[in-house]
Amino acid sequence: MVELGLNRAEPATLVVDLNCAFASIEQQHDPSLRGRPLAIAAYATDAATIVSSSREARDLGIKTGMRVFEAKALYPRLVIREPNPPRYREVSDKLIEILQRHTPDVLRMSIDEASLNLAGTPDLTRLGPEGVGWAIKRAVRAEVGEWVTCSIGIDATARHLARAGIRTPLDFLYATPQRLRLAGMRREVAEHWLKRLRGYEVGSFESARRKSYSHSHVMARATSVQADLEELLMRLSEMVGRRLRAAGRRGSVVTVSVVYRPRAGHFSHQAKQPQPISTGEEIYRAALELLAAREPNREIGTLGVGLSGLSDAAEDQMDLFAEPRAPRGDRLEKAMDTIRDRFGEDAVQRGRLLGRAPVVRDRIAFGNTGHPEE
Amino acid sequence: MGIRSQTALKLTCQPSTLSSALQIVSRAISTRTTLPILNNILLETTSEGLALTATNLEIGIRKVVAAEVAEEGSTTVPARLLTDFVGTLPEKDLEMALDLSTQTLSLKCARFDTHVKCIEAEEFPPGPRPDEGDRLSIPLDELLAAIEQTQMAASTDEARPVLTGVLLHIDRDGQTLAATDGHRLAVRKLQARGGSDLEARLIVPARALAELPRAFRGESGEVEVIVSKARNQIFFRAGTSEVTSRLIDGTYPNYTQVIPTKSSTTVKVATSELNQTVRAVSLFARDSANVIRLKTETGGLVLSATTNEVGDSRAEVSADVEGSDIQIAFNARYILDALAVAAEDHVELLFDGPLSPGLIRPPGSDQYLYVIMPVRVAM
């Protein structure tokens, strides 16, 4: 046999993925949904996109990324639910806690996916990687619920690899870096993979720290009415501020992005603030100025607010020429945070937004862990 | 700039003096310029010798080196090449001669016979001439000391262009230099020398002022300062050396209003001991925003810094403390910048609570004031 220079040590890295995560968490929560085709969609409207579907729905060909009306065409009695992020975060946290029983090296890859490095842990010797996998599965069943299951294994890039003609592990092993680039890998990534395939662990288990916070909203009906846009901007700014404060951070670069609809087009403007900010009020004021750059007669379909240039809130270098920061604003938003933590997002509202439907919801973007501190 | 005749330049000079002048003048050459001629140094014969001029259109530097001029003339030579080449030459007479028809400068020195392709002097942008404008005279030592004590406080953030300059504030009472990046402020009064009728608030790029100590090395006496009538150029001349700069357009913040006028705590401390202590302790602040904490204790000042996962450090400095006790935190770099240019053995630190600006100054004097905004931390 050809000498491939393999790492013959036992594999020590596991990737754990919750199956049909959002859908099965909902089924766990509400037993009446179990065994029924269920889809979690961004909104409970026909145009909304499905973000997760249950095993039963998948068997009918209903997949993530489909529109609700497409799914209903396949199965009219499909149950549609809107996402419930706090519920998913709770399960995600539980999963991480279970994984951490086996190693301190746990990397949360997204809200329903994590990897763990067992190298050098007692459990690797005691149970072996497969044994640890079974232990995790048992713990998830016992502590998260019988309806929530997870898959444990390696790799999520099979589809991309197939594009480059790599269909078997051996194809992958013998692939040249050039071929891997056809699969959409950058050179460094390709080289890392070729090493990993030979059994060497590369890449760090430390996740990069988040560099920006943003929220955007696709409106059901496009609008160019300033008052409507201001309300949405205020809501988005508050949500950015809330996550920022939860992470104990501040930011100095405010970005507003706009997608026009139906006449397509977009713009994105940003402005550096003289000092880092963290309250919704401050973000809103900066964003409002940026929004003034929009074309006033064009209807806007999507509006987004982001904050980057992040620093830790503790590093509060004061400014000689700025007006002293009014601690009142900080205190007010802190109090609002506390109330919302306890009674929910709609428990307290700015007067201006009172009585308005909570159009912008908390949601978890793909590839995002859904956790403010990351 | 002087006579630009069509006669061939011909002269003899010493490589070492030429080399040091070239190095100084080259500081005005921009590393990325869109105008190729700005990569060149203008050579012109004058009655005092050979004048070298370089500019990036924002800052211009001109030096004159002693030379025996046989034929007057001018040309421009690639700055980098000439500077590097002359720097390697032995200390023997260097003969320069320009072949007008080919614009080739021949350099003969000891064993070397070298020819450099030049560009006509006419291509070189004519710098602003200081023949007209408001004038003012400042002792050279005094100006250089004041620049040293202020320019480091200027901002490097181009987002606030005004703060990348140093304010030269001239009024009947005298002249003051002030620089700030928004977090700290350095203010230096120049020794008054008779009144001037000129009143102006000129914002000089800190980068330009930083060139003055080098450009005026070896000169003495007075610096002649000329401000163009349009108030967009400033011109400094000491002996035969000149620095010109564009002025920054804008309104400088009212710096006088942020200088503390009262204090509840006064700490007098030896400059070098404080400097050395801040330097050591701040190593433990490197990864935590460079924040160092100061606390008064009987008979001294306690400095401390902590970075999780790195460690912490604490040190006492003996000091005379008057007034109420205080705990305050600063960016250590701002303190070190002030101590590095403090002229006296002792400095006075004045505080008025943990969230008000601190003041560093020579004991009992307001000739030099350095104001630092604290960092808000949980004590």
Side-chain angles (χ1 to χ4, degrees):
Chain A
M1 198 182 151
V2 191
E3 178 46 59
L4 293 170
L6 296 182
N7 175 359
R8 302 205 179 273
E10 233 180 324
T13 309
L14 299 184
V15 175
V16 181
D17 182 70
L18 292 177
N19 301 327
C20 313
F22 293 0
S24 56
I25 294 169
E26 292 298 340
Q27 288 173 319
Q28 178 63 40
H29 182 76
D30 179 357
S32 73
L33 296 173
R34 295 184 193 176
R36 295 174 64 185
L38 166 72
I40 311 298
Y43 308 92
T45 56
D46 279 353
T49 305
I50 292 174
V51 295
S52 172
S53 53
S54 70
R55 216 157 327 178
E56 300 81 2
R58 280 178 206 200
D59 289 345
L60 296 167
I62 294 166
K63 295 181 207 150
T64 300
M66 265 186 180
R67 299 296 189 91
V68 169
F69 66 84
E70 293 172 317
K72 281 190 172 163
L74 291 173
Y75 186 71
R77 287 167 55 214
L78 178 71
V79 181
I80 306 292
R81 285 280 189 278
E82 291 191 359
N84 191 340
R87 200 169 283 159
Y88 311 149
R89 285 194 192 105
E90 199 181 306
V91 171
S92 177
D93 287 346
K94 187 77 203 169
L95 175 68
I96 298 295
E97 190 215 303
I98 291 169
L99 302 184
Q100 280 169 342
R101 292 174 197 165
H102 301 283
T103 169
D105 275 351
V106 174
L107 176 64
R108 196 199 290 264
M109 291 154 74
S110 73
I111 189 140
D112 59 358
E113 193 183 9
S115 64
L116 60 164
N117 178 12
L118 295 170
T121 61
D123 279 2
L124 182 65
T125 3
R126 200 164 57 87
L127 305 170
E130 209 181 321
V132 172
W134 282 113
I136 291 168
K137 276 174 176 277
R138 277 193 301 274
V140 168
R141 182 170 294 256
E143 296 171 46
V144 180
E146 73 228 357
W147 212 263
V148 179
T149 58
C150 59
S151 304
I152 300 177
I154 43 165
D155 190 24
T157 51
R159 251 173 316 146
H160 297 282
L161 292 174
R163 248 190 280 149
I166 299 167
R167 291 194 174 75
T168 68
L170 278 180
D171 286 346
F172 197 6
L173 183 63
Y174 290 117
T176 58
Q178 288 76 13
R179 183 160 290 277
L180 291 182
R181 290 178 74 177
L182 289 180
M185 293 186 191
R186 283 183 295 118
R187 198 166 44 132
E188 310 86 82
V189 177
E191 281 166 5
H192 278 182
W193 267 112
L194 292 176
K195 284 207 155 162
R196 280 193 199 110
L197 285 169
R198 281 158 184 77
Y200 295 97
E201 191 50 49
V202 282
S204 157
F205 265 81
E206 270 173 43
S207 55
R209 240 184 138 186
R210 176 174 275 279
K211 293 202 175 66
S212 68
Y213 288 88
S214 61
H215 275 280
S216 66
H217 180 68
V218 184
M219 280 175 281
R221 228 166 295 151
T223 179
S224 61
V225 178
Q226 178 72 10
D228 293 351
L229 293 169
E230 281 181 13
E231 273 176 24
L232 179 55
L233 202 65
M234 183 177 276
R235 249 181 241 280
L236 292 168
S237 301
E238 285 206 339
M239 293 172 76
V240 171
R242 180 142 158 70
R243 279 171 62 215
L244 201 69
R245 290 190 297 276
R249 306 191 83 184
R250 292 169 184 277
S252 56
V253 179
V254 176
T255 308
V256 166
S257 53
V258 160
V259 180
Y260 296 109
R261 206 178 64 205
R263 266 216 296 142
H266 60 89
F267 85 80
S268 165
H269 278 230
Q270 51 175 240
K272 186 167 185 223
Q273 306 303 306
Q275 51 182 339
I277 56 176
S278 70
T279 65
E281 182 73 31
E282 292 166 310
I283 299 168
Y284 171 68
R285 264 187 274 124
L288 193 58
E289 279 180 32
L290 293 169
L291 184 67
R294 74 187 173 100
E295 293 174 39
N297 299 323
R298 247 170 123 178
E299 297 197 315
I300 291 174
T302 306
L303 185 62
V305 176
L307 194 60
S308 54
L310 303 180
S311 56
D312 285 323
E315 314 161 2
D316 192 4
Q317 168 67 56
M318 296 165 70
D319 197 283
L320 274 168
F321 299 100
E323 294 289 313
R325 287 169 58 85
R328 218 179 134 251
D330 285 352
R331 285 209 304 266
L332 173 66
E333 300 221 1
K334 208 173 212 170
M336 285 167 67
D337 288 345
T338 315
I339 294 171
R340 285 175 172 163
D341 285 344
R342 186 147 169 212
F343 300 106
E345 294 304 314
D346 296 327
V348 54
Q349 242 358 303
R350 289 196 180 269
R352 174 155 189 194
L353 304 177
L354 211 60
R356 297 288 184 142
V359 287
V360 185
R361 294 183 201 137
D362 182 15
R363 55 181 78 258
I364 297 164
F366 285 102
N368 182 324
T369 61
H371 275 255
E373 69 275 13
E374 280 166 19
Chain B
M1 298 202 166
I3 311 143
R4 287 184 188 174
S5 65
Q6 276 302 310
T7 58
L9 165 153
K10 198 169 177 190
L11 58 86
T12 308
C13 64
Q14 294 307 307
S16 60
T17 41
L18 179 61
S19 173
S20 55
L22 282 169
Q23 280 174 25
I24 292 164
V25 171
S26 295
R27 303 270 312 169
I29 302 272
S30 165
T31 46
R32 27 171 212 281
T33 173
T34 47
L35 279 177
I37 187 73
L38 297 184
N39 287 313
N40 282 19
I41 290 179
L42 175 68
L43 307 188
E44 296 167 294
T45 55
T46 71
S47 53
E48 290 138 335
L50 174 67
L52 316 172
T53 309
T55 179
N56 57 18
L57 299 182
E58 179 179 312
I59 300 171
I61 304 179
R62 179 177 156 110
K63 294 282 287 181
V64 177
V65 293
E68 273 177 47
V69 178
E71 260 183 71
E72 293 186 354
S74 59
T75 188
T76 75
V77 195
R80 185 74 191 277
L81 180 63
L82 186 66
T83 308
D84 289 353
F85 179 70
V86 172
T88 64
L89 290 178
E91 199 48 28
K92 296 275 165 57
D93 283 358
L94 167 63
E95 287 175 28
M96 282 192 198
L98 178 70
D99 181 332
L100 264 186
S101 56
T102 58
Q103 279 291 326
T104 303
L105 185 69
S106 98
L107 301 164
K108 289 203 170 78
C109 179
R111 303 173 285 118
F112 294 90
D113 186 1
T114 303
H115 298 87
V116 182
K117 304 276 186 221
C118 298
I119 301 175
E120 286 86 350
E122 286 69 24
E123 300 280 316
F124 199 79
R129 293 308 297 168
D131 307 321
E132 298 195 313
D134 293 314
R135 281 157 197 270
L136 160 92
S137 181
I138 302 173
L140 176 62
D141 307 347
E142 184 63 8
L143 179 62
L144 295 187
I147 290 173
E148 191 200 11
Q149 289 184 318
T150 50
Q151 56 99 4
M152 78 302 190
S155 173
T156 50
D157 182 1
E158 297 293 340
R160 291 161 100 180
V162 162
L163 299 190
T164 63
V166 175
L167 178 73
L168 172 55
H169 186 181
I170 306 163
D171 61 16
R172 273 168 215 292
D173 303 329
Q175 302 105 33
T176 306
L177 288 189
T180 179
D181 59 7
H183 302 315
R184 36 68 183 274
L185 163 76
V187 180
R188 171 64 149 78
K189 282 190 184 145
L190 293 164
Q191 307 280 0
R193 244 185 47 90
S196 154
D197 289 338
L198 180 62
E199 289 205 21
R201 289 168 69 91
L202 308 169
I203 309 170
V204 190
R207 271 196 303 270
L209 288 182
E211 293 303 328
L212 257 53
R214 235 184 308 261
F216 292 167
R217 189 176 300 145
E219 307 287 359
S220 59
E222 300 279 314
V223 179
E224 191 182 3
V225 182
I226 302 162
V227 184
S228 70
K229 281 222 163 120
R231 292 275 162 99
N232 59 2
Q233 290 280 339
I234 192 164
F235 191 90
F236 299 90
R237 174 159 51 203
T240 57
S241 307
E242 298 171 1
V243 174
T244 58
S245 173
R246 191 177 53 79
L247 289 171
I248 297 171
D249 192 26
T251 309
Y252 204 78
N254 182 2
Y255 68 91
T256 48
Q257 71 175 14
V258 301
I259 299 172
T261 49
K262 63 186 175 67
S263 65
S264 54
T265 313
T266 306
V267 179
K268 193 178 157 192
V269 60
T271 312
S272 62
E273 190 183 345
L274 183 60
N275 191 351
Q276 186 265 331
T277 313
V278 174
R279 202 172 290 278
V281 170
S282 68
L283 294 174
F284 292 84
R286 267 186 194 162
D287 297 323
S288 54
N290 223 10
V291 175
I292 185 167
R293 288 151 200 255
L294 277 67
K295 185 169 179 259
T296 53
E297 274 186 6
T298 13
L301 192 61
V302 176
L303 277 61
S304 64
T306 306
T307 302
N308 291 339
E309 292 152 18
V310 173
D312 58 83
S313 179
R314 183 180 179 282
E316 263 184 63
V317 181
S318 53
D320 295 339
V321 181
E322 278 173 34
S324 44
D325 278 340
I326 187 159
Q327 287 191 53
I328 191 166
F330 293 107
N331 182 329
R333 204 188 96 217
Y334 297 159
I335 302 180
L336 290 172
D337 280 351
L339 297 176
V341 297
E344 317 275 330
D345 300 345
H346 285 78
V347 287
E348 223 168 52
L349 316 177
L350 291 93
F351 305 111
D352 193 38
L355 299 180
S356 299
L359 180 67
I360 302 181
R361 66 177 190 191
S365 158
D366 63 353
Q367 185 83 13
Y368 180 54
L369 300 175
Y370 187 92
V371 182
I372 320 181
M373 220 44 201
V375 176
R376 198 196 301 256
V377 293
M379 287 289 178

